[in-house]
Amino acid sequence: MASSTPPPHYTLTTSKPYENHHFHHLQNHHQRNQRHNHPWTSQKVSLHRSSQTQPTQNAAKPPTPGPTTTTTTAPLSRNSNFPSLSSSKSELAADFSGRRSTRFVSKMHFGRPKTASTSRHTSTAEEALQQAVRCSGDDKCIDNILRSFESKLCGVDDYTFLLRELGNRREWSMAIRCFEFAIRREKRRNELGKLASSMISILGRLGKVDLAKKVFDDAVKEGYGNTVYAYSALISAYAKSGYCAEAIRVFETMKDSGLKPNLVTYNALIDACGKGGADFRRASGIFDEMLRNGVQPDRITYNSLLAVCSGAGLWDTARSLFSEMVYRGIDQDIYTYNTLLDVACNGGHIDVAFEIMVEMTTKNILPNEVTYSTMIRGCAKAGRLDRALSLFNEMKYVGIKLDRVSYNTLLGIYASLGMFEEALNVGKEMESIGIKKDVVTYNALLDGFGKQGMYDKVKELFLEMKSEHLLPNLLTYSILISVYSNGGLYWEATVVYREFKQQGLKADVVFYSKLIDALCKKGLVESSALLLDEMMKEGIQPNVVTYNSIINAFGQSETTECAADGESQIDHSPLMVLEDVAESKTEDTEQDRIVNIFEQLAADKSCHATIDTRGGQEILCVLGIFQKMHELNIKPNVVTFSAILNACSRCSSFEEASLLLEELRLFDNQVYGVARGLLMGDRANVWVQALSLFDDVKQMDSSTASAFYNALTDMLWHFGQKRGAQLVVLEGKRRHVWENTWSDSCLDLHLMSSGAARAMVHAWLLNIRSVVFEGHELPKLLSILTGWGKHSKIVGDGTLKRAIEALLSGMGAPFRVAKCNIGRFISTGAVVAAWLRESGTLKVLVLQDDRTHPPETMRIDHVSNFQTLPL
DNA sequence: ACTTAGAGCT
């Protein structure tokens, strides 16, 4: 059976110093190659419209802080030798700054077998511990126990043992009492220092970073806290709570006070970058610094760097790091592999992930429950439920016990798919083996039921979790509020929001983004703008996800918001509303503004004005959003590009679309070049760049990639570039962007946008036609699947089906809706073959570009200006 | 005495 705690693999680093020169040579070579493969990446223009003085490829990067990372002449500088790791390739990934819910959950020291050399406590300490855990909840009790054992407890080792074990049992307040008891009885500074750094570490693991800081400050004040151990522990404590900036500040303070950071300090700091969602360059800079200071990285250093890649979605960087590790002779361990798998899965490279899993097994690093739940999540994310489930079976088969996370992962998959019976059964199974449902379990259920609009079930579950004495967390409230907003149940949303505030919880960027997205999806752009403003007032920086949601809202407003107080607002363009809000007088600071927004929505719900008063002004609102993104230096990602392309598809005029495309140009010249080239019918010249762009997109996870193809095709189709649309779709098919969509008997369109699907239908029928004309027989039954619309990223219910229905009947294609499945069009092979043989059929199948929007017109309008701008 | 992996946003 695979052990969850394999024996440590000691690093060989120190005994295998590598050759710097060789190493550098390799990296430079590597870098040059990458540049060569991506000629366009060096043409990126500045993100700042005003400053065209910085046309370098780094202009789009946020400035890297600190003197250590900017000008590096040191021989080992990662900055000058590793830019290929972070900057040349995955521009499309940008910073998702993704965070994990586990970031506050500390991994305790449970089950870590203490080796004989490390267990220096006495059996008296164990006895004291037994008594202490028995009086859980009564803090004073620990004092009595300690007093009764005092004479027999043997020095600091016994006390640190007690602290650690109390920490493992989450008894932080008992641990603090124990700590205070111990320091009162200790005089030696060194021993006091041990107690303090242990205590800081324990509080850090429990997410009690403020308490950790207090212990640290007191220890410094009393003269025993100024040690590298205490500092490292504090840095780690901030890391575990996701406070990267704080961790770095502590690090600076440490250096100022004359202490020399050691390997552990640097490792903790790099870890802070990963957990705090920092740029890879930040971590990379720290790595440089440690090398410059003669501290050799070890396995944990690399594992932590890999974790940074995981957060930033840098699959290629992760691979390079892994090779670098091998090159330096640093052994990999289960952490290395699990983290690498995480990056692979996040990037949608599920097949590579399976290969890696085999590789680790051959190296005798056996997959554990973490490996499996990582892989399972990856499969589910890639839409491969079958593989996910077979991994669960495999897990049972090889004797790895499912733990809390594994169960929650499985339950979450079912819940997210609306398979509630299965989800609830998983819940029962986990409880049957003694794992109680926790907040994560309930969050998954609430989200799943909520997404299906089962509000009664949501209410019931929320009550149930409270009756189980589970404390709802930020995510719970975020889910509930978004679910209710999505359903238009603003009154319920208000109630939940009030409760959330009452609990003293503070919203974060994910909370706001989710809510903004919910409102955007309902076409409530103005309310979203209010929320955006509110979050910034709260000091929470919106990120690219936040902005993508707002861009997505462009042109999607189905209902116009009513003016709140009947008067002036009707005349306001959304842009003006944005400005108004920014300067708004805060008369009622007492009232929560989010509550205001909800109450307004709840009151307005009944009065849907059907006339869209925005007209062409909405474009100004969206342009304003882009302006803000530039100002805040928020890097767009591939989702942003898809959103812009989709917005173009919703434009009624070419001119509007040109304004949006101009924004695309300012963001990314490569994507712009391809989109514009294809739109102009300039396929011959732009196709090489298009292929290179598609290579980059393929790095993304499958749904992100297909969304991009969908968006690009839709835009081309919308503006009559149907052959270009078809070319893109076929390229997507060739690259398996939409899974297996195509056979002689069946065309599955359910993951495609309507433009992509239509272009695909033409291509498929042409293909079938050539089968017929080659003299082969068609399958008995032919079917075209459109699904129900719920999988599609941009198409609402039934839109795809209607589009295909219209297309087929327009062509006179003899397909009919299947009786048993309204998402399927069917026909018999014989009937279709007869139709394909008709003389007029070929003409309707071959796509022609629609010249209602001749490219000439466009060249006059805007495009000529684009070309004269300096790049 | 201090350090590393899996469950939340488009």
Side-chain angles (χ1 to χ4, degrees), chain A residues 471-514:
Chain A
L471 215 56
N473 63 17
L474 177 63
L475 181 57
T476 319
Y477 287 109
S478 172
I479 289 166
L480 287 171
I481 295 168
S482 300
V483 158
Y484 287 139
S485 303
N486 269 321
L489 305 175
Y490 301 114
W491 186 79
E492 278 84 351
T494 317
V495 172
V496 174
Y497 179 79
R498 283 217 167 93
E499 184 183 318
F500 157 74
K501 273 297 184 198
Q502 210 182 351
Q503 299 289 319
L505 288 166
K506 216 174 121 36
D508 67 1
V509 62
V510 177
F511 180 96
Y512 273 108
S513 299
K514 206 172 151 97

Side-chain angles (χ1 to χ4, degrees), chain A residues 564-586:
Chain A
D565 39 23
E567 32 178 84
S568 60
Q569 277 203 344
I570 283 179
D571 302 327
H572 283 195
S573 74
L575 182 62
M576 288 168 73
V577 172
L578 272 178
E579 284 163 353
D580 281 357
V581 165
E583 294 145 23
S584 82
K585 53 289 154 183
T586 43

Side-chain angles (χ1 to χ4, degrees), chain A residues 757-770:
Chain A
R758 281 179 285 186
M760 194 68 137
V761 166
H762 279 266
W764 184 70
L765 289 172
L766 277 172
N767 186 63
I768 301 272
R769 185 180 178 276
S770 65

Side-chain angles (χ1 to χ4, degrees), chain A residues 138-144 146-147 159 163 166 171-185 199:
Chain A
D138 179 4
D139 284 358
K140 288 197 193 89
C141 164
I142 182 86
D143 291 356
N144 294 330
L146 289 170
R147 261 193 292 278
Y159 286 108
L163 294 178
L166 288 169
E171 299 283 1
W172 57 270
S173 85
M174 270 207 249
I176 286 183
R177 280 188 174 258
C178 179
F179 168 71
E180 284 168 346
F181 185 91
I183 55 173
R184 280 196 297 271
R185 276 150 191 82
M199 193 67 231

